[in-house]
């Protein structure tokens, strides 16, 4: 269904010195910096698959999805969706796909939801009978009934997202791209949305490519995940596989009494554990990653307690979340190194 | 294919009208304000002609006629193509343009159909009244053919406005928001309200062959004014309209291509 | 006081940052000057004077009026948008007077506008377009005082209209309407003495002629002596009345926000 070969996207970013002088200088002579957002990606997704596409912020997920939908032309490489090259036959491709971009609405801002659907019916040339049937089904599953008469601009985020999702599936597309469809939603709405996506896949065999930062979404919806980091695919396989492959990985978060900047890994465990980068928000947090094949969690905790006064600790087990955290962490470290080199 | 687009346009319009009627007060305000704006311009001409008989050989009603064609042509642009103003700051900058690219219809069509500008009706209304007032005072006998030509000329004038704005709005694909440029160029149309013969030759050529605002009012009007000396050139109006629309649309497609390869 | 100076200063910087708009503006003004020049040249092609004004007098009036008109509007747009997107409630909680802040910003805007735009352009006009100087240094001085009053009146009128945004949505329409009325009655397009008698009488009772016509007529000597002083008196009247009216309307509007939530 979706075939991607050696896909690359480089963004050109114009560099400009600040101020008026910079502006004038850039008129005559522009300096560009190339950002390789996606590097030589390959993937093959079959019809009816539900694939989670994950990676840290800025990894290149949205860029990939934009190329798959035809919004963006690749720098090099090949994309075929359902036998069509999206960025060359954009309109043709568009009638077979649906998309939700979590941050932006696809609906018509000023008019009531029902009328938006009505317009979409005509835009996608959906037969009346099919339209009615589909809409009725969606209204039931997503509880849209009370929302249909309200203009989109007056809906809350969760309400909007439900309507949005229905719009993406309305024409029974073969492929649906969901870019962070659960961003900013409460748990109840998330559950409903997940159920809806699964139901669509079961009933119509819709292929789904989903990006999200919520691992719960992935565990519940997808059989397969593709992990992208800094523009390259670093894992492509089933969730089961990754769990068994990285199943021995453990991460322990330590909350220290002292600030973490002065932290150094104790001598005894230095060879077997690794410090994961953490956010700046909590200056006392230290996260250690290790494999429980080589060292036990108890030993790590014991050693830490000996050297530092630990206020609190949490042990993350081999859930997908831990694994992803570990993988992202490495990616982030790379980024930090890059910056130092520059 | 075409009938599908007509149907779609009708549906878009219907939705837009519904929104408009929701804010009835604003509809009236918009129409009224544009009428007032047009009226101020006409009043100005009237005041000046209270003190002179002819402007460079052009009578009051001839000037009025030019003015009316400019207003009516512009109103076509104002009512149906007003969204062109918003390409940069409402579509490209906030990323709303992506939405148009994943729909199975022509993105330009979708973009244009997204909005109907009620305020333009005021301009249309005034324009028609002004043309109607001036018509009997022109030394030409109005038959069916003349009427037909007049309508064609006005539509052509409208599409020249559209083509020029489309061309410069398209620059937004490279520079995010080209509104200052669009606006400046649009101000050039002020020249077109008066007979081009009052200007320096350079200006006249510029407005005829480079940015063809001359064809939005003066040349079409001159066709109906005896002895104006521009009857031949006036017949080019529809041709100029078609050529500039094709050129602008070609440019738009180039812009779209650039946009989909830079993605910003 | 200090903070309002700061607002004015920041606004000047903001202005400088939008250089695209600056050039667009400058270029549009130049275009307009060209249209005006050729139009009036054509008007005068078959006569030497209209209502006692020769070509030089007329073009001087029109160009100066055009420049002055650019300064008689203000930050109404800003205020209207603040009202419209609901931010006015937040603004009202801030430790400053919103109107004073807007006027301060406007002042910053106008100063930079004058220095970067109007001044160089008017020098250009002096050199190329047969513009004359005021008839005497007294009328020149009087012009500055009168122009200041005109700008003051225009600024407050602009804010007054903007407050109507509490009751309507179509801000663009409001703006266009206001501009049409002003260019109609203020004498920004032609000197009011060219208008029919009845029209002149009506505009005598409206604040608009005090914005543009009075100062420019003083400059060009259309108004002089007692007439000029009388006109200046009417400007003072309008400046004070509009200021008071604005304060009253604003407090009514604020009540509407705080009681009815906008
Ligand atoms: N239009 C653009 N111009 C230049 N650079 C861009 C553009 N869009 C994205 N980038 C850069 O490309 C990289 C990948 O961005 P992308 O939006 O694909 O990330 P993402 O994986 O979707 O991240 P997130 O999880 O934050 O949404 C980032 O470094 C980003 O800064
Ligand atoms: Mg993203």
């Amino acid at each position: 269904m979706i075939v991607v070969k050696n896909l690359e996207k480089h963004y050109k970013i114009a560099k400009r010195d600040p101020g008026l002088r910079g502006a004038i200088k850039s008129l005559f002579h522009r300096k560009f910096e190339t950002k390789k957002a996606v590097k030589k990606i390959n993937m093959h997704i079959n019809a009816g698959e539900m694939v989670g596409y994950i990676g840290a912020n800025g990894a290149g997920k949205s860029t990939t999805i934009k190329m798959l939908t035809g919004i963006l032309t690749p720098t090099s490489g090949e994309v075929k969706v359902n036998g069509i090259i999206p960025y060359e036959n954009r309109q043709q491709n568009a009638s077979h796909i649906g998309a939700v971009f979590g941050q932006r609405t696809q609906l018509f801002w000023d008019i009531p939801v029902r009328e938006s659907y009505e317009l979409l019916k005509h835009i996608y040339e959906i037969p009346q009978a099919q339209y009615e049937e589909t809409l009725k089904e969606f209204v039931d599953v997503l509880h849209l009934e009370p929302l249909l008469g309200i203009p989109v601009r007056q809906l809350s985020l969760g309400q909007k997202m439900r309507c949005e999702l229905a719009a993406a599936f309305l024409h029974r597309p073969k492929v649906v791209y969901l870019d962070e469809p659960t961003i900013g939603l409460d748990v109840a709405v998330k559950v409903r949305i997940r159920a809806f996506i699964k139901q669509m896949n079961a009933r119509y065999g819709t292929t789904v490519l989903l990006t999200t930062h919520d691992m719960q979404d992935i565990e519940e919806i997808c059989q397969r995940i593709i992990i992208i980091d800094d523009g390259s695919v670093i894992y492509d396989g089933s969730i089961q596989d990754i769990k068994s492959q990285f199943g021995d990985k453990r991460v322990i978060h330590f909350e220290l009494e002292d600030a973490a900047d002065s932290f150094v890994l104790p001598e005894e465990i230095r060879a077997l554990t690794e410090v994961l980068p953490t956010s700046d928000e909590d200056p006392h947090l230290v996260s250690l990653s290790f494999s429980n094949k080589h060292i036990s969690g108890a030993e790590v905790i014991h050693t830490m307690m000996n050297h530092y006064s630990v206020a609190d600790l949490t042990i993350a087990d081999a859930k997908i979340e831990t694994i992803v955290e570990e993988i992202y962490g490495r990616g982030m470290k790379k980024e930090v190194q890059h910056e130092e080199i520059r | 294919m075409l009938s599908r687009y007509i149907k779609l346009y009708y549906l878009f319009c219907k939705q837009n009208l519904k929104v408009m009627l929701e804010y009835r007060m604003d509809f009236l305000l918009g129409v009224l304000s544009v009428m007032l704006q047009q009226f101020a311009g006409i009043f100005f001409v009237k005041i000046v002609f209270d003190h002179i008989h002819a402007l460079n050989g052009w009578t009051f009603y001839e000037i009025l006629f030019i003015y009316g064609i400019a207003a009516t042509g512009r109103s076509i642009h104002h009512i149906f193509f007003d969204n062109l103003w918003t390409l940069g700051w409402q579509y490209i900058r906030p990323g709303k343009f992506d939405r148009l690219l994943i729909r199975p219809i022509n993105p330009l069509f979708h973009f244009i159909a997204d909005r109907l500008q009620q305020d333009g009706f005021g301009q249309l209304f005034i324009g028609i009244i002004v043309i109607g007032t001036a018509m009997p005072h022109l030394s030409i006998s109005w038959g069916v053919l003349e009427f037909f030509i007049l309508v064609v000329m006005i539509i052509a004038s409208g599409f020249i406005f559209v083509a020029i704005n489309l061309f410069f709005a398209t620059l937004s694909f490279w520079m995010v928001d080209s509104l200052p440029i669009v606006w400046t160029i649009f101000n050039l149309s002020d020249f077109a309200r008066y007979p081009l013969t009052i200007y320096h030759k350079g200006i006249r050529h510029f407005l005829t062959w480079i940015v063809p605002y001359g064809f939005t009012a003066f040349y079409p009007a001159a066709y109906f004014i005896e002895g104006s000396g521009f009857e031949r050139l006036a017949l080019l109006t529809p041709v100029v309209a078609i050529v500039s629309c094709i050129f602008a649309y070609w440019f738009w497609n180039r812009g779209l291509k650039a946009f989909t390869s830079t993605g910003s | 006081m200090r903070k309002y100076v700061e607002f004015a200063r920041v606004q000047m910087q903001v202005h400088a940052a939008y250089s695209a708009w600056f050039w667009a503006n400058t270029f549009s003004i130049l275009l307009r000057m060209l249209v005006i020049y050729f139009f009036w040249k054509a008007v005068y092609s078959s006569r030497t004077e209209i209502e006692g004004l020769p070509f030089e007098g007329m073009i001087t009036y029109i160009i100066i009026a055009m420049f002055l008109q650019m300064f008689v509007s203000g930050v109404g747009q800003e205020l209207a948008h603040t009202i419209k997107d609901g931010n006015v409630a937040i603004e009202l909680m801030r430790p400053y007077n919103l109107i004073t802040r807007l006027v301060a910003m406007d002042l910053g805007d106008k100063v930079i506008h004058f220095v970067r735009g109007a001044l160089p352009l008017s020098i250009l006009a002096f050199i190329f377009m047969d513009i004359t100087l005021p008839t005497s240094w007294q009328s020149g001085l009087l012009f500055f005082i009168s122009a200041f009053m005109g700008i003051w009146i225009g600024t407050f009128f602009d804010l007054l209209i903007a407050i109507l945004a509490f009751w309507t949505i179509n801000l663009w329409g409001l703006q266009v309407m206001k501009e049409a009325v002003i260019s109609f009655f203020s004498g920004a397009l032609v000197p009011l003495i060219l208008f029919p008698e009845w029209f002149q009488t009506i505009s005598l009772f409206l604040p608009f002629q005090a914005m543009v016509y009075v100062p420019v007529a003083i400059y060009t000597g259309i108004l002089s002596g007692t007439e000029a002083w009388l006109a200046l008196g009417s400007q003072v009247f309008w400046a004070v009345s509009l200021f008071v009216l604005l304060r009253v309307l604003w407090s009514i509007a604020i009540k509407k926000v705080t009681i009815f939530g906008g």
Side-chain angles (χ1 to χ4, degrees):
Chain A
M1 180 57 83
I2 303 177
V3 182
V4 171
K5 277 193 202 132
N6 290 328
L7 187 65
E8 292 227 352
K9 183 71 209 177
H10 302 175
Y11 287 116
K12 255 189 184 171
I13 304 167
K15 294 217 81 169
R16 207 182 95 180
D17 299 334
L20 187 65
R21 270 192 50 204
I24 291 171
K25 239 167 62 187
S26 73
L27 275 181
F28 303 102
H29 171 73
R30 275 197 197 202
K31 270 185 282 181
F32 285 104
E33 191 173 80
T34 311
K35 163 85 203 172
K36 297 187 178 175
V38 170
K39 305 169 192 162
K40 297 247 185 249
I41 284 190
N42 289 292
M43 59 172 93
H44 190 111
I45 296 172
N46 293 319
E49 267 193 289
M50 295 211 274
V51 177
Y53 192 42
I54 58 180
N57 288 127
K61 303 181 295 293
S62 299
T63 305
T64 313
I65 291 208
K66 278 187 179 176
M67 288 191 281
L68 295 183
T69 50
I71 294 172
L72 208 55
T73 311
T75 309
S76 67
E78 220 180 279
V79 180
K80 272 206 177 143
V81 178
N82 203 15
I84 300 169
I85 299 173
Y87 46 90
E88 281 177 7
N89 301 301
R90 203 181 311 109
Q91 285 178 44
Q92 199 193 343
N93 178 56
S95 51
H96 304 297
I97 65 163
V100 170
F101 295 100
Q103 328 270 20
R104 310 171 175 142
T105 179
Q106 310 285 313
L107 295 165
F108 298 82
W109 196 240
D110 275 319
I111 61 181
V113 177
R114 186 195 300 279
E115 317 239 340
S116 257
Y117 291 161
E118 207 45 55
L119 265 179
L120 288 176
K121 177 185 88 184
H122 289 284
I123 291 176
Y124 287 98
E125 299 178 283
I126 310 170
Q128 182 65 24
Q130 183 192 324
Y131 170 74
E132 277 167 19
E133 186 196 323
T134 322
L135 189 60
K136 191 175 168 310
E137 181 188 351
F138 290 4
V139 166
D140 288 344
V141 181
L142 291 168
H143 297 251
L144 299 179
E145 192 59 49
L147 310 178
L148 288 177
I150 305 174
V152 176
R153 67 185 138 83
Q154 289 172 8
L155 295 176
S156 82
L157 188 63
Q159 294 168 336
K160 203 181 316 172
M161 192 47 74
R162 275 147 61 201
C163 296
E164 203 75 50
L165 218 62
F169 282 93
L170 197 63
H171 51 292
R172 297 192 187 161
K174 297 203 177 85
V175 188
V176 171
Y177 303 97
L178 304 168
D179 195 353
E180 306 193 36
T182 54
I183 193 167
L185 304 185
D186 72 33
V187 180
V189 176
K190 278 184 183 175
V191 168
R192 185 158 297 151
I193 284 182
R194 288 172 195 149
F196 176 75
I197 297 171
K198 277 195 279 190
Q199 186 174 332
M200 286 303 107
N201 173 263
R203 184 161 307 174
Y204 303 111
T206 316
T207 312
V208 175
L209 187 67
L210 166 79
T211 83
T212 179
H213 291 292
D214 183 340
M215 289 310 139
Q216 201 69 32
D217 287 348
I218 300 285
E219 290 218 53
E220 287 197 16
I221 298 172
C222 308
Q223 302 97 20
R224 171 178 164 194
I225 54 174
I226 296 174
I227 304 179
I228 180 175
D229 183 52
D230 197 20
S232 308
V233 171
I234 52 173
Y235 179 82
D236 182 351
S238 72
I239 296 190
Q240 287 319 324
D241 282 352
I242 201 173
K243 272 192 184 166
S244 53
Q245 194 176 330
F246 291 88
D248 54 330
K249 284 286 171 190
R250 295 286 183 278
V251 172
I252 305 181
H253 304 287
F254 292 94
E255 186 80 31
L256 303 184
E257 297 278 355
D258 307 318
D261 348 328
S262 58
F263 175 79
V264 241
L265 260 182
E267 190 79 42
E268 304 93 296
I269 56 171
R270 191 168 295 165
L272 299 174
T273 56
E274 211 178 328
V275 186
L276 291 179
T278 48
S279 72
D280 297 332
E281 274 165 39
D282 187 350
H284 297 275
L285 187 70
V286 168
S287 301
L288 299 186
S289 134
F290 55 93
S291 158
N292 74 348
K293 279 192 202 139
H294 304 119
I295 186 169
S296 73
E299 202 170 327
V300 173
I301 296 173
H302 179 73
T303 318
M304 282 293 286
M305 299 277 246
N306 277 346
H307 289 80
Y308 294 92
S309 40
V310 174
D312 196 5
L313 61 84
T314 22
I315 307 173
D317 64 0
K319 271 199 311 200
I320 183 83
E321 240 148 290
T322 322
I323 296 164
V324 167
E325 195 174 340
E326 154 91 18
I327 294 172
Y328 286 6
R330 287 180 205 284
M332 247 159 91
K333 206 190 269 165
K334 245 186 273 159
E335 205 167 279
V336 171
Q337 279 167 0
H338 283 320
E339 234 133 72
E340 276 165 8
I341 291 166
R342 242 184 260 150
Chain B
M1 175 70 185
L2 187 65
S3 71
R4 172 165 175 242
Y5 275 97
I6 293 172
K7 174 108 187 280
L8 275 176
Y9 193 76
Y10 165 73
L11 290 163
F12 272 89
C13 278
K14 211 168 74 180
Q15 293 304 339
N16 281 316
L17 277 170
K18 271 190 213 159
V19 176
M20 244 181 252
L21 292 179
E22 231 181 285
Y23 306 109
R24 227 160 309 157
M25 186 53 203
D26 292 289
F27 175 74
L28 284 179
L29 184 66
V31 171
L32 219 73
S33 62
V34 173
M35 278 168 64
L36 211 64
Q37 185 190 33
Q38 290 302 312
F39 194 67
I42 294 160
F43 195 65
F44 166 73
V45 176
K46 172 86 181 75
I47 297 291
V48 172
F49 270 89
D50 278 349
H51 300 269
I52 59 174
H53 301 295
L55 184 75
N56 231 357
W58 304 87
T59 68
F60 174 60
Y61 287 106
E62 286 165 355
I63 303 273
L64 217 55
F65 191 60
I66 297 174
Y67 203 98
I69 290 187
T72 319
R74 199 187 288 200
S75 77
I76 293 176
H77 168 259
H78 194 170
I79 296 170
F80 301 105
F81 296 86
D82 203 54
N83 224 12
L84 286 173
W85 291 105
T86 65
L87 181 62
W89 57 286
Q90 292 212 332
Y91 283 79
I92 293 177
R93 199 191 294 275
K96 215 171 116 188
F97 198 79
D98 292 356
R99 183 185 85 160
L100 309 188
L101 291 177
I102 51 167
R103 293 272 161 78
I105 52 176
N106 185 312
L108 179 60
F109 169 81
H110 195 320
F111 169 59
I112 299 289
D114 250 0
R115 195 159 76 128
L116 201 64
Q117 179 50 275
Q118 69 253 37
D119 301 347
F121 286 109
Q123 192 154 182
L124 179 67
F125 189 64
I126 289 273
I128 290 173
I129 289 181
V130 169
I131 292 178
T133 317
M135 259 165 50
H137 296 271
L138 302 179
S139 55
I140 185 173
S141 59
W142 289 93
V144 178
L145 182 67
E146 279 78 14
F147 260 109
F148 176 74
I149 293 176
L150 179 65
V151 171
V152 170
M153 291 287 196
I154 288 174
I155 292 172
S157 153
F159 276 91
I160 293 172
F161 274 110
V162 172
I164 294 173
N165 259 25
L166 175 60
F167 184 89
F168 289 97
T170 296
L171 290 175
S172 293
F173 285 128
W174 288 279
M175 53 190 290
V176 181
D177 196 356
S178 65
L179 190 60
I181 298 178
V182 179
W183 182 71
T184 310
I185 298 294
F186 190 76
N187 281 337
L188 274 173
S189 68
D190 276 355
F191 281 103
R193 294 195 203 167
Y194 306 117
L196 288 189
T197 54
I198 69 172
Y199 303 117
H200 187 270
K201 245 215 222 108
I203 297 177
R204 201 157 72 211
H205 288 312
F206 183 78
L207 292 174
T208 308
W209 305 116
I210 313 286
V211 184
Y213 276 124
F215 288 99
T216 59
F218 174 63
Y219 292 129
Y223 178 79
F224 301 95
I225 295 165
E226 216 165 277
S228 66
F230 293 104
E231 289 90 342
R232 282 273 190 78
L233 203 54
L235 283 174
L236 275 182
T237 306
V239 180
V240 170
I242 291 168
V243 170
S244 30
C245 278
I246 290 173
F247 186 59
Y249 185 64
W250 168 82
F251 192 57
W252 161 272
N253 278 331
R254 291 264 337 242
L256 209 57
K257 213 176 222 158
F259 178 75
T260 58
S261 65
T262 57
S264 44
Chain C
M1 191 59 213
R2 173 91 207 129
K3 56 188 167 199
Y4 297 114
V5 174
E6 205 54 25
F7 281 130
R9 206 180 56 77
V10 168
Q11 189 63 18
M12 288 189 204
Q13 281 173 353
V14 168
H15 206 100
Y18 285 99
S19 59
W21 274 113
F22 166 73
W23 287 112
N25 253 323
T26 307
F27 200 69
S28 300
I29 294 167
L30 278 173
L31 290 179
R32 201 136 98 225
M33 280 167 36
L34 274 180
V35 175
I36 287 173
Y37 182 80
F38 285 110
F39 178 81
W40 286 100
K41 199 91 187 162
V43 167
Y44 275 88
S45 64
S46 55
R47 58 190 54 239
T48 50
E49 57 141 75
I50 292 171
E51 294 284 328
L53 277 176
F55 175 73
E56 287 77 26
M58 187 61 88
I59 203 79
T60 303
Y61 179 95
I62 308 271
I63 293 291
I64 302 227
M66 181 192 88
F67 279 118
L68 196 55
Q69 195 196 1
M70 296 189 299
F71 289 90
V72 297
S73 60
V75 265
Q77 284 281 50
E78 297 258 358
L79 178 61
H81 281 291
T82 316
I83 292 169
K84 209 70 280 167
D85 54 28
N87 280 341
V88 72
I90 299 165
E91 289 289 328
L92 289 176
M93 290 184 325
R94 298 250 164 87
Y96 49 65
N97 181 312
L98 178 59
I99 296 286
T100 317
R101 194 201 101 177
L102 286 173
V103 172
M105 282 168 62
D106 189 31
L107 199 71
D109 241 354
K110 279 174 178 160
V111 168
I112 200 92
H113 210 92
F114 180 74
V115 175
R116 283 180 75 190
L119 199 62
L121 282 172
S122 53
I123 290 172
L124 216 66
F126 262 105
I127 298 170
F128 291 106
M129 293 177 71
D130 316 317
I131 304 245
T132 55
L133 287 171
T135 40
S136 64
W137 70 266
Q138 287 99 331
S139 63
L141 184 69
L142 223 53
F143 163 73
F144 274 109
I145 299 169
S146 177
F148 174 78
M149 304 281 273
I151 291 170
W152 169 289
I153 294 168
T155 304
F156 284 99
F157 185 76
D158 197 42
L159 288 170
L160 212 60
I161 294 295
I163 293 179
L164 293 184
F166 278 110
W167 292 275
T168 172
I169 292 191
N170 192 338
L171 303 178
W172 187 83
L174 213 59
Q175 189 70 12
V176 169
M177 177 107 85
K178 191 209 79 180
E179 248 152 48
V181 168
I182 287 186
S183 47
F184 233 61
F185 288 98
S186 71
L189 293 177
V190 278
L192 289 179
I193 45 167
L194 263 65
F195 283 67
E197 279 299 325
W198 58 268
F199 193 93
Q200 292 190 40
T201 320
I202 295 177
S203 49
L204 216 54
F205 294 97
L206 296 173
F208 306 110
Q209 60 149 352
M211 293 177 192
V212 179
Y213 175 68
V214 171
V216 187
I218 290 175
Y219 182 102
T220 50
I222 296 172
L223 291 176
S224 57
T226 341
E227 267 184 329
W229 286 105
L230 271 177
L232 215 59
S234 83
Q235 277 190 310
V236 174
F237 167 76
W238 282 116
V240 174
S241 332
L242 283 180
F243 183 76
V244 172
L245 193 62
L246 178 70
R247 292 276 156 185
V248 172
L249 210 67
W250 181 239
S251 61
I252 293 174
I254 285 179
K255 266 202 202 107
K256 184 171 143 40
V257 175
T258 47
I259 296 173
F260 302 107

